Amino acid sequence: MAFLFRSKPKSDLVKTTKDLLITLLQEPTSTKAKQDTATTLPALKLALIGPEEHDVDSEATEKWVTALMSQDMLFLIVRSMGYMEINGFVAAQKILSFLIRWKPTNYPGSTDTPVVKHMSDVRPEIIYWLCRGYDSNTAIPNRLPSHSGKVLREAIKFETVTLTILYNQSYADEEHASIKGVDMNGEQNGEGLFWQFFEWINTQTFEVAADCFNTFKDIITLHKQAAARFIMANFDLFFSKYHEKLVLSNSYVTKRQSIKLLGEILLDRANYEIMMKYVERGEYLKICMTLLKDDRKMVQYEGFHVFKVFVANPQKSDEVVKILLKNQSRLIRFLPTFLADRNDEDEQFRDEKNFLIRTISVMADEKDPFAFIHRNSEVTK
């Protein structure tokens, strides 16, 4: 059977699949169209990849890839994934993931594969609609994100795809500009593709939100320099949305994951400028101190790892110093018993907490020359 499919002329199988995908897009509720694609896409997958991916014939595959791109098949597959039956759906995911990774023999030393280059330079709409798999208007709950999300994260491993997501400011019905024609220096208005992730994470079902968060994390962590440049250029907007939609989310999982990710971002050396700018902000410190008093211990714990960055900063802003001094006595009383059950099992946490207590206790208001003496005696009582 595999031999028959792999020997079938490429033009016939590609044309047949293309026509069925177009029909499915035009008639998304058609049972016949769904059933036909559920048969044809696995056949295309078998012809392209074979029973096992390691059996691929590079020369033959290159011809298949060329045929698929010339017929705009990648876009059609992505656009119709939300309407497919499960067999077609799974085959589509495997086809796309394989194509994104595949490089022909002796391919030039570019980091981008031929299909990634095609998506970024020629058809950025493919990337756009992969992201839109998280949209409640296009997603099939518990199914579409688990497959389009896998494809998207495979693509995000390539920096050009991440940049396309970060700087795409187009709408669904517009022609999307390739990354080559995008201004990466200007501040954005929060309506582009990347900013939609904050809404998708915060408004979807648990399964969709979790998958979306994993993709969001990859976008802002895999390619550190590119992400840092983007966040710095959109600093206020990024953290405004990050706090409002994620850190202060009503979802415990989203809240905890986003606080943990925030700590990782701030402590990454590639994000030094971001960290220094972040810990200058008094309003951000207030949010963090609120997390320390959350009812849930893991939220407290992750909040602690952000709070410690403010306290450990040797060049605190006047705003941060004012807030810490105002709460100095309370913090000195609060921190020794903060998550006390961790003291024995987590030596690093205990040491970090003691360091913060010492640092806060020796802070003094420059206007009160005796403040240090008063605070220090209070700690040693």
Side-chain angles (χ1 to χ4, degrees):
M1 182 65 72
F3 173 80
L4 292 176
F5 277 126
R6 300 202 76 183
S7 62
K8 187 173 182 177
K10 285 177 279 295
S11 58
D12 288 356
L13 185 52
V14 171
K15 184 179 185 306
T16 299
T17 308
K18 179 179 180 179
D19 291 343
L20 289 173
L21 292 174
I22 292 173
T23 300
L24 184 59
L25 282 171
Q26 293 172 342
E27 305 173 33
T29 60
S30 168
T31 301
K32 185 177 186 305
K34 293 176 186 291
Q35 291 174 343
D36 288 344
T37 53
T39 300
T40 308
L41 281 168
L44 179 60
K45 177 231 166 213
L46 188 61
L48 177 65
I49 305 172
E52 300 292 339
E53 189 171 319
H54 57 74
D55 292 334
V56 168
D57 180 329
S58 184
E59 184 177 345
T61 300
E62 186 169 2
K63 294 178 180 178
W64 277 105
V65 172
T66 301
L68 291 169
M69 289 194 297
S70 68
Q71 293 298 312
D72 205 20
M73 286 288 288
L74 281 73
F75 176 75
L76 290 173
I77 291 172
V78 169
R79 280 295 283 118
S80 58
M81 281 180 77
Y83 307 121
M84 295 177 186
E85 289 189 347
I86 190 65
N87 287 344
F89 202 86
V90 173
Q93 179 259 316
K94 291 182 177 179
I95 289 169
L96 292 169
S97 295
F98 169 78
L99 290 173
I100 288 168
R101 293 190 299 268
W102 181 79
K103 284 185 178 182
T105 306
N106 300 322
Y107 190 70
S110 170
T111 56
D112 292 342
T113 66
V115 167
V116 167
K117 188 173 178 60
H118 173 77
M119 291 194 301
S120 301
D121 296 351
V122 180
R123 211 58 164 105
E125 292 85 357
I126 297 171
I127 300 169
Y128 176 86
W129 284 105
L130 275 174
C131 293
R132 284 288 301 276
Y134 293 118
D135 194 318
S136 61
N137 294 321
T138 60
I140 297 176
N142 306 330
R143 196 173 68 167
L144 179 58
S146 67
H147 288 79
S148 67
K150 289 178 182 177
V151 176
L152 187 53
R153 286 189 292 278
E154 192 70 49
I156 288 169
K157 293 176 182 178
F158 298 89
E159 185 172 303
T160 50
V161 174
T162 296
L163 291 173
T164 301
I165 294 171
L166 291 174
Y167 294 98
N168 186 320
Q169 299 289 294
S170 303
Y171 295 97
D173 56 350
E174 295 179 339
E175 182 178 347
H176 294 235
S178 76
I179 194 61
K180 291 181 177 179
V182 170
D183 177 16
M184 297 187 187
N185 297 314
E187 187 174 351
Q188 297 186 10
N189 61 11
E191 297 181 0
L193 180 59
F194 169 74
W195 306 104
Q196 304 309 308
F197 278 84
F198 290 100
E199 300 295 332
W200 296 332
I201 291 170
N202 204 40
T203 59
Q204 298 289 3
T205 63
F206 172 79
E207 292 81 2
V208 177
D211 194 276
C212 189
F213 186 88
N214 290 336
T215 302
F216 173 85
K217 180 179 179 180
D218 282 358
I219 293 171
I220 60 174
T221 60
L222 284 186
H223 308 286
K224 298 181 185 298
Q225 298 302 326
R229 176 181 177 181
F230 174 83
I231 294 172
M232 280 299 294
N234 299 278
F235 187 89
D236 290 333
L237 178 60
F238 178 85
F239 284 109
S240 173
K241 286 185 176 291
Y242 197 99
H243 291 140
E244 178 187 354
K245 300 294 185 180
L246 304 184
V247 173
L248 301 179
S249 171
N250 291 326
S251 164
Y252 166 70
V253 175
T254 297
K255 189 182 192 76
R256 177 185 166 185
Q257 286 182 324
S258 62
I259 300 167
K260 185 175 189 294
L261 178 58
L262 176 59
E264 293 172 359
I265 291 170
L266 296 178
L267 293 173
D268 194 311
R269 291 184 178 182
N271 298 324
Y272 179 78
E273 287 185 70
I274 295 171
M275 178 194 72
M276 293 306 295
K277 190 170 183 177
Y278 186 90
V279 298
E280 288 178 351
R281 303 292 182 90
E283 67 268 32
Y284 296 170
L285 174 58
K286 290 179 181 178
I287 291 172
C288 183
M289 290 171 68
T290 301
L291 298 175
L292 298 179
K293 305 216 56 169
D294 193 273
D295 294 335
R296 294 152 297 191
K297 289 186 176 182
M298 286 310 301
V299 171
Q300 294 177 340
Y301 179 70
E302 300 301 349
F304 172 83
H305 289 298
V306 179
F307 175 70
K308 72 184 182 185
V309 184
F310 285 92
V311 178
N313 177 22
Q315 299 176 322
K316 299 177 184 66
S317 68
D318 292 343
E319 191 177 3
V320 167
V321 169
K322 182 178 179 180
I323 293 170
L324 290 176
L325 285 175
K326 183 178 180 179
N327 294 275
Q328 189 175 41
S329 297
R330 278 173 286 186
L331 286 167
I332 291 170
R333 291 193 300 270
F334 171 76
L335 286 172
T337 59
F338 175 70
L339 296 179
D341 55 338
R342 279 187 170 269
N343 288 344
D344 294 334
E345 63 186 47
D346 191 337
E347 183 178 352
Q348 181 177 342
F349 171 73
R350 185 180 67 242
D351 291 344
E352 288 179 343
K353 190 167 66 166
N354 290 335
F355 169 77
L356 297 191
I357 294 170
R358 291 194 301 271
T359 302
I360 293 171
S361 69
V362 300
M363 289 181 63
D365 190 336
E366 293 180 357
K367 295 180 181 179
D368 180 1
F370 300 103
F372 169 76
I373 298 175
H374 298 329
R375 299 300 182 191
N376 198 45
S377 62
E378 184 175 336
V379 176
T380 57
K381 285 181 181 178

